[in-house]
Amino acid sequence: MERVAAGEAGPEAELLSEGGSPRLRFPRSATRPFPEAMTDLEGRLAHMDALGVDLQLLSFWAEAYGYDLPRPAAIRYHAAANEELARAAASRPERFRWLATVPLPWAEAAAREAERAAAMGAAGVMVGTQVDGRELDAGELEPFWAAAEALGLAVMIHPALGQAPRLGRYYLNNLLGNRCSDHRNLFRAPACHQAGAPVLRAHAPPASRFIGVSPEIPGLTSPPRAFIVSGPLPATAATRAARFRAAFSSRSSTRPHASQR
């Protein structure tokens, strides 16, 4: 955030203060105030210890994707974010891995930033469920997906609040809308669906049956159920940590296809 305040991403990314808490504003969107715990590494480590979690993935905040930034500002913004994520993870390499963020509206630039992040040690990339109004299977985004696949980077698909305005009351945009938002991208790429994993698991069998029957569904080499990790949901934080450790301790072409919370 200090680098945004210093103007590194340009005037289109602005650091504001609300009640003493920082928040980011972009041309057409803004984050809520950053929770203090989000940027407190020592507090995070203490919380991990209390829960019995020994390895955690660090990632960008989904509300701060900044997909509405103009191209030059977006490239600088995501590059700075990745450098800070890499620095944070390197401070305690036995406890942290990290996921990169990329300027996804510009797929070629996103591919280059994914390559740069992989060279810095990123275990994967986190992206939103839509890109400034476009879905993730848009043809113009293919350079990014091709780069992620070639680099062996896991892609975590994480929605952001505000993508379903009519569900804004009662926090339904997160409790319901974000989980269904993941579902729209079921047919694109081996990826790690974060908020919508339970929804995906429930809908994969009927979606698989529609392949080859409904002309709206593209041809796939594997049915949607093949993209989803089977087995019961992990019951404890320790189990979740073990799965993350197995998945992200090193970059590999064998990647998880759905997160299980």
Side-chain angles (χ1 to χ4, degrees), residues 91-115:
S91 71
R92 292 296 299 271
E94 79 283 7
R95 303 299 302 273
F96 295 131
R97 303 288 186 271
W98 63 285
L99 296 176
T101 182
V102 294
L104 197 53
W106 296 275
E108 296 285 355
R112 288 193 295 272
E113 184 58 26
E115 292 172 359

Side-chain angles (χ1 to χ4, degrees), residues 17-216:
S17 179
E18 184 174 301
S21 298
R23 60 193 293 263
L24 292 173
R25 183 167 65 191
F26 308 108
R28 299 189 305 279
S29 64
T31 71
R32 293 172 293 168
F34 278 74
E36 183 178 351
M38 189 175 289
T39 56
D40 179 6
L41 283 184
E42 291 305 315
R44 180 181 295 265
L45 286 165
H47 191 56
M48 289 166 60
D49 290 340
L51 292 175
V53 175
D54 56 7
L55 182 68
Q56 187 178 76
L57 276 168
L58 302 178
S59 67
F60 212 40
W61 192 17
E63 292 188 25
Y65 286 136
Y67 287 163
D68 52 334
L69 286 169
R71 186 178 186 277
I75 291 172
R76 294 193 300 269
Y77 173 75
H78 288 274
N82 288 332
E83 289 161 10
E84 294 306 314
L85 283 164
R87 184 175 293 111
S91 71
R92 292 296 299 271
E94 79 283 7
R95 303 299 302 273
F96 295 131
R97 303 288 186 271
W98 63 285
L99 296 176
T101 182
V102 294
L104 197 53
W106 296 275
E108 296 285 355
R112 288 193 295 272
E113 184 58 26
E115 292 172 359
R116 196 177 78 96
M120 290 192 293
V125 182
M126 189 174 85
V127 300
T129 52
Q130 59 173 310
V131 186
D132 208 16
R134 290 172 291 168
E135 300 298 334
L136 295 184
D137 61 353
E140 59 267 30
L141 300 181
E142 191 59 32
F144 162 73
W145 290 108
E149 187 72 23
L151 293 164
L153 291 174
V155 179
M156 174 174 279
I157 299 174
H158 192 309
L161 291 176
Q163 296 187 128
R166 65 188 294 265
L167 298 177
R169 295 183 67 189
Y170 311 115
Y171 205 49
L172 291 178
N173 51 1
N174 195 26
L175 296 175
L176 178 62
N178 282 349
R179 282 142 179 78
C180 294
S181 184
D182 268 7
H183 191 199
R184 290 181 62 89
N185 298 291
L186 178 62
F187 297 104
R188 181 62 185 93
C192 180
H193 295 263
Q194 201 262 2
V199 176
L200 294 176
R201 292 180 66 183
H203 286 266
S208 296
R209 287 195 292 271
F210 275 106
I211 294 175
V213 176
S214 176
E216 290 82 8

